[in-house]
Amino acid sequence: MRFLHAADIHLDSPLLGLAGRAGVRADELVGATRRALVRLVDAALAEPVAFLIIAGDLYDGDWRDFMTGLFFAGQMARLERANIPVIILRGNHDAESLMTRQLSLPGNVQVFSSRKAETIRLDDLRVALHGRSFPSRHVTENIARSYPPPVAGYLNIGVLHTALEGKPPHAPYAPCSINDLMGKGYDYWALGHVHERAVLAQDPWIIFPGNLQGRHANETGPKGATLVSVEEGRIAKVEALALDQVRWARLAVDAGDCADEAALGNRLVTAFADAGTEAEGRTLAVRLRISGRTPLHRWLKSDTERLAAEVELAASRAGGDIWIERIVIETTDALAAPAAAGDALAELAAAIAELREDAAARSMLADDLAALRHKLPPGALAAAGLDGEDETAMLESVLADAEALLLNRLAGEA
Amino acid sequence: MRIDRLDLERYGHFTDHQLDFSGADVRLHIVHGANEAGKSTALSAICDLLFGVPERTRLGFRHGNNALRIGAVLRQPDGSILEVKRRKGRQNTLLAADGTTALGDGTLAPLLGGIDREQFKRLFGLDHAHLRAGGEAMLAAGGDLARTLFQAGSGLTGIADIMAGLQTDADRLGSPHKRQGSKPLYEALDAYQAATARMRNEATKAEAWEAAEKRLADARAALAGLQADLEKAQRAQNRLERIRRVRPLLARLETLAAERAELGMGPDLPATLAERWNAAQTRLLQAQRHRQQAAYQLETALKALVDAGDAPRLPELATEIEALFQRAGSVEKARADLPRRQRDLDITDERLSLLAARLGRNSNPEALEQAQPGRVLAARIREKLAAHGRLDGARDAATKREMLAERSLTDLADTAGETDAAGDPLAAEAALAAALRLGEVEKRLDEAAREAEARADDLVTALTRLGRFTGTAEALAKLALPDLAVIEGWTARLNDLAQKQAKLLDALAQATADERKHAATLAELAADGEVPTLAAIEEARRQRDGAWQAIRRRILEKLDVPVAEWSALGLEDAPAPRFEATVRAADQLADRRDREAQRVSRHARASSDLAEASARREALERDRKDLAAQTHKREAEWQGLWRESGLDAAEPVVMAGWRRQVDGVLALYRQGQEAARKKAGLGEEAARCAGHLRDAMELAGRPVPAGETELSRLRARADAAVKACREQTDKVEKRRQEQARAERALRDAQREKAEAGEALAAWVEGWATDMAALGLPKGTSPTEAEAALGAWEDISQELHGRRELAHRIDALSHDIRQFHDDLNVLSEKTIALDPTLALDAGAPDAANRLLMALDGARQRNTRRGLLADAAGKARRADDEAALELADALAEHDDLQRLHGLATGDDVPSLVALANRRRELVKAEQAVLAELAQAGDGHSRTALETEAAGLDPDGAAAELAAMGQEISRLQAALPQVSSDLRDAERALEELRQRSGIGEAAQEAAAAEAKAAQNAARWLRLRAAGLLLTQAVERYRNRNEHPLLRRASTILALMAASGGNPVTHLKVDYGDGDHSVLLGVRRDGSDVQVQDMSEGLRDQLFLALRIAAVEAHVDQSAPLPFIADDLFITSDESRTAAGLAALVELGASTQVVLFTHHRYVLDVAQGLEGVRVHELVAAA
């Protein structure tokens, strides 16, 4: 017997940070979470599995569009036709109190109660699933302790949406310790909430399957569900299934010994090609980080439009469908600053360095920053790195980039 | 650092070219070269020397990149000399003076002060294009002080463009301060708004879904109800209609049953029997007729076949007869050919007998075949014939060469003794080369002597010009003088004090003016009447209270009031009115204070400002005194500094100039000493040179004539002597080599002649053997042998032809014989098969006649076959007629037996009765079937019962009512169905909606785009801010020293003309943007925008020179390289520009490259200028 364990589907939530771009596969991004769900159901039918567990955050929140619920119901109907039961637990994003709309789901779907922990028995499979849905977004008590005792002679599975002991950067939802879980005497803990796949223990198995589809640059690498094989009432094997539609990657490229743009371009092509191979032909969304001490530093900081074009070119040379989410320049300058004393340009460099340290200079930018904060929606502010609380650090970073930009233009003039 | 000498050893088209830039007193080196002389190459060489030759240089076109070499003598700031060479390469490119020892690539770094190639070009290089661009940039900046200073200081001219570019780039993205829908930032924000609006509007609501589902359920229920009513009505209508249908059918059944009973019983004969019976009778009659006809035809055919007789057998031999006939043609041809072949054979035999006779042999062909020489023998003899020719030729040629060699030796012996060698040319050449290596030493000696003299003259002139000192240069060198740096320190210090004093005076004047201004304000207020200040009110009240106290004491209390007090209070004449007046005055003042609040406030402010200004002025007065004391003290210290030298010190700035002059005089003094040393050294070198030349002449065997001392004549004589000595020696050597060659040729010819003789003897011996084998005598000549070989070749060919002819004749004879044998055999076989044939096998057309007999036999056979076929066909027709008759009889019998008919029955009548009975039964069955159909499956009994119980008239009315009800229900059906379809479609449309995924993704994308634009905008803004601030900061730090110096230089340059600019000043205008102005001699200002192009160029040059001076003052001085700065200047401007460069030459070395001759002409009038001619290399 085999079953599938998924979590954190966040159905119909968009992929963040990808600026518009025309492309053959531009529609890959739209509905990526839906297609990942379809793949999950495809996998369940192909195996076929005995049942499917969704351990919380099926939805990103209350449906903005009723079609979200209908789409899910449609996929569950496919499983119903194959007699595959689905057991769902509500998490912090789709807690009972958050979901104002309801939809009758097919008969094969059972949802854990949010009032108290309960056991759902699949008697013909001799499987008992224990769980409790989140009644509201903030569940701060240890609900694992209230889970029922294991059912004798059955395979016992605990289903829980939890941040465990508050794993940063996740908020401490339904906190509990691994010892709490081990002490329950279950065979398998199907957890949800943490978006990075993790196998926390093997006896019993305690697993976060990760989310089904990465949605921004912090959710990189293969995403999907966990396929569990059971032999003679015991867990025999677990394996990760990659079901994501769009793969996120953070690529680090060292421009340290790149003497010119062509050399950097070649390095980028290699990095993109490797990432493309790793993504197995999926659409790839990339956050690119260029570092190293390089003579290209000022150019990288200054000519962002051409850099973006060069990066796009390298991506297209590497083949595959690659979207650039952001280019982060963390290089340092390998070109010597003008050193001669008495030279106006050298004095300029020194002046710029001093101004960067100068609170008054920063304050002159504060108006601009405030205007931007007023104009930009929150998502854009976050993407531009302007949503922090430490305004000094923000302006310091802006001025550092501006210095490189300026030196590049002055060097062009010289 | 200065370049004392630049060696273009192998660089561009230069080879071993030097530019001497030495001389501390030279303020400006002008390198003049016509076009293509290599001005740009020399310029480039300076950079390559200091910073290395670039990887992709184009200057190796002549010597090759690997051989490129530049050398230089560099003078370091401490006066020490560093001689270096630069080669092209990746590392260790800087070499010592020996050209091989690597110095390490960082050796020059301390001299360069850490600047790189680009910085050097920017800071220490200036050409006309940059000069003009600098002027234009000042114009573009509107004379903005900060930008102008920065551009001059950095050598950059595009600051304004960069500022504008940053602003343009930021504006292009869109500013958060001002909404502009077409800018990318706002496009992204608008896209975000649009996408979020779409998300709101296009989202499918749960309520919409539920409503659609309910509508569908309602429509389904309505349709189901309608369908149920319709079914019920249709059932009732069906029953009534059924009864109406079955009534006539039941009646018809009764009628049919009655007629069947009437017909009674009889044999049941099929309806088709009558027809079949008649057909069987007809067929029987036809069969009997056919049988009779067939029997007759068979008999006739058999008779004709017997009449045709037996078949002929000759076709059995058809294959052999036809084959023989085909061969007959070729046999006839062979028979005709045979005599011709025989004749050819006879002719061949005749030719053979003639050839045999030529060799003296029997003409029998077999004997000739045997006697033919073998191929090996013939080939050997031919080879020997060829070898004989070669050997004979070789012997003749050797004999000829022998004679020639002997003649040459005789000729050489005749001329022996004509030449004889004298002297040692090698040693003489070495001595001459040693002298030539020293070059034209006499010229250099002369030059050094002139140089020493000139240096001495310069020194005298400089000493004379130097004021404040009257001694010799040696004494001046020993004088204890403060260093220039110390003096300049004092200059700065005293300048600083002077500036402070000037500022103080300005401030003092300002404070005094303020004081006056505030006093005037107070006076002005006072002139308008008393100001109702608090003090004035208090005074008025004091007056009022004092008057009241006095009046009260005197009038009410009757006390004494002193007269003085009484009159002081003005109460002498009319105390009451006076008191009332004071009361009124106090009240009025109090009232006015409220009314004239503004005046009061102005008075209070003026009073306070006056006090503050007075205090400030007093403080400044104190500062001025302190500063005066400080200045006095400094001046005393300054004088003390010069005390030891015994000189009277003028102002520091004057003394700095004088000190520079002293340095110049001392440098001239040192140069004079150096020139004298150089002259002495060159004298010794000239003596060495003369010694070498004398040695050369002695060694060449031509001694020096007595009294010859002049070096140039000595050099010419030595050169001629060495050349003559060399020619004589070469001639002797050449004759010796010719004799050796002739002797060697004689020996070779003799040896070859002997070898040819021996080979011929060996040949004669082998020849005799071969001739015997050929059957010829041993004395046979090669020509005879060659003829015999030819005859044998002809015989061989004839024999070959004869063999082929004989073989052909045999083959033809054989074919003819064989054909006749085969014809005889076939004739015998033919007769055996058909004895009627009378054949003669020997007849010429026997084969043809055989073939004709065969054709006749074949035709007879064909005819007989046709008759046999006809007989067979008649037999088969007879058989078929017999069978047909038997069949007809059997059918007749079968019909009688099957239907039980007796012979003689009227079969057609019996069949008609049986047919009617069957029709009645069938009609009854048809009615029953109709009844079953019309009765909706009910049984006949049930239908009879149902029909019996209904009144026909009532049923008709009921049926009409039912029809109307059904019509009504059916009319409603389309609408209800349509409603259902609409409801289904509406739900399906909802189901098919794509959702808001796309809009949500678009919103996320728009946020990302807005973020990119915003981040970029903020950085561009920050960069603009940094640049503006930094440029302003540079102005703050450098404004005064740079402007002061540039002002001096510009005044120097622009001194000519009617109303020249005499100095620069700054207009602070609105305070934000200070502007640089020129001030003309008449005091009028000129803005940068109003300056002529030439004046702007001069202003930029002045600022650049001031900036370079400031730079070298703070870090390592490097040569300033100017490239044709004055190509568009007239003579006076050129002179002014050169003067400015000479001024700069006091601070650092200055080299000007030009290809204009007029620049040199202008420079002639300037001191401290040295001109170098760059000569175009070949």
Side-chain angles (χ1 to χ4, degrees), chain B residues 556-576:
Chain B
L556 297 182
E557 295 175 7
K558 310 289 186 199
L559 293 174
D560 279 341
V561 175
V563 175
E565 187 185 345
W566 188 252
S567 48
L569 289 168
L571 299 173
E572 306 97 317
D573 300 331

Side-chain angles (χ1 to χ4, degrees), chain A residues 15 65-66 302 368 401 409, chain B residues 169 177 204 1001 1016 1019:
Chain A
L15 307 191
D65 185 355
F66 195 69
S302 171
D368 288 339
D401 290 350
R409 294 208 180 190
Chain B
D169 288 354
H177 300 297
T204 308
Q1001 192 60 57
R1016 179 75 181 153
R1019 278 151 184 80

Side-chain angles (χ1 to χ4, degrees), chain B residues 94-378:
Chain B
L94 194 70
L95 309 173
D98 60 7
T100 50
T101 310
L103 288 180
D105 290 338
T107 305
L108 295 184
L111 301 181
L112 298 174
I115 72 168
D116 61 18
R117 186 188 196 96
E118 290 308 315
Q119 288 170 324
F120 176 72
K121 281 160 79 173
R122 179 164 59 75
L123 293 171
F124 290 95
L126 187 62
D127 59 17
H128 179 262
H130 279 85
L131 183 66
R132 180 53 51 87
E136 297 291 335
M138 284 194 304
L139 180 62
D144 179 85
L145 181 65
R147 277 196 237 163
T148 300
L149 287 181
F150 186 84
Q151 284 171 162
S154 63
L156 300 176
T157 51
I159 295 298
D161 289 345
I162 293 174
M163 282 178 170
L166 290 168
Q167 186 63 43
T168 308
D169 288 354
D171 287 348
R172 194 167 50 74
L173 293 171
S175 158
H177 300 297
K178 182 184 173 192
R179 182 182 164 76
Q180 284 173 291
S182 61
K183 305 283 185 183
L185 177 63
Y186 286 98
E187 281 178 349
L189 291 173
D190 290 348
Y192 173 76
Q193 295 295 351
T196 47
R198 269 181 60 200
M199 285 166 67
R200 278 194 304 278
N201 298 334
E202 293 178 12
T204 308
K205 304 286 187 294
E207 297 73 19
W209 180 261
E210 283 161 8
E213 276 192 325
K214 183 172 182 308
R215 182 179 163 196
L216 179 62
D218 291 350
R220 278 182 178 146
L223 183 63
L226 189 62
Q227 282 169 335
D229 292 349
L230 191 58
E231 190 185 342
K232 191 176 163 194
Q234 281 170 338
R235 275 177 180 281
Q237 189 189 38
N238 280 349
R239 181 171 161 273
L240 293 170
E241 284 183 340
R242 181 169 64 238
I243 294 169
R244 225 167 57 159
R245 280 195 307 271
V246 302
R247 264 177 209 274
L249 296 174
L250 291 170
R252 173 96 178 115
L253 279 175
E254 282 175 17
T255 313
L256 286 171
E259 191 185 350
R260 197 145 58 94
E262 205 176 305
L263 276 180
M265 302 297 285
D268 183 19
L269 295 176
T272 55
L273 182 61
E275 195 181 338
R276 282 177 64 195
W277 180 261
N278 290 338
Q281 291 294 335
T282 310
R283 196 176 157 204
L284 184 58
L285 289 174
Q286 271 180 353
Q288 284 164 346
R289 200 165 53 246
H290 286 163
R291 181 73 174 91
Q292 284 165 0
Q293 285 169 354
Y296 172 75
Q297 279 170 356
L298 178 58
E299 194 182 348
T300 313
L302 285 173
K303 186 171 176 302
L305 186 59
V306 170
D307 291 349
D310 293 338
R313 292 184 61 198
L314 196 57
E316 290 172 19
L317 294 173
T319 311
E320 288 173 61
I321 291 168
E322 282 165 356
L324 192 71
F325 178 75
Q326 280 174 3
R327 279 166 62 196
S330 55
V331 166
E332 279 309 308
K333 200 173 159 209
R335 202 176 278 145
D337 200 25
L338 200 54
R340 279 201 302 277
R341 301 281 177 191
Q342 189 58 53
R343 212 164 36 246
D344 289 348
L345 186 63
D346 294 344
I347 293 167
T348 303
D349 283 348
E350 280 172 24
R351 279 204 298 271
L352 267 175
S353 86
L354 281 173
L355 286 168
R358 221 189 286 169
L359 287 170
R361 286 187 175 264
N362 188 345
S363 67
N364 182 308
E366 284 78 18
L368 285 173
E369 286 273 11
Q370 302 257 325
Q372 277 188 94
R375 286 189 179 190
V376 174
L377 178 63

Side-chain angles (χ1 to χ4, degrees), chain B residues 701-783:
Chain B
R702 287 163 178 75
V704 187
E708 188 64 270
T709 55
E710 194 182 332
L711 265 180
S712 59
R713 292 171 68 92
L714 270 177
R715 202 179 283 121
R717 277 178 189 282
D719 190 43
V722 171
K723 274 183 187 151
C725 176
R726 168 55 72 195
E727 276 170 17
Q728 183 67 18
T729 311
D730 288 353
K731 208 184 274 178
V732 171
E733 175 63 16
K734 191 177 166 196
R735 198 187 69 78
R736 194 186 57 72
Q737 285 173 357
E738 279 175 6
Q739 184 168 9
R741 256 198 309 279
E743 284 167 357
R744 202 160 51 240
L746 180 64
R747 282 196 302 277
D748 289 349
Q750 285 166 341
R751 180 175 46 73
E752 283 166 17
K753 185 175 161 191
E755 283 169 2
E758 284 167 17
L760 272 171
W763 182 88
V764 169
E765 203 169 314
W767 181 252
T769 316
D770 290 340
M771 288 302 104
L774 199 60
L776 294 173
K778 71 178 180 183
T780 308
S781 73
T783 315

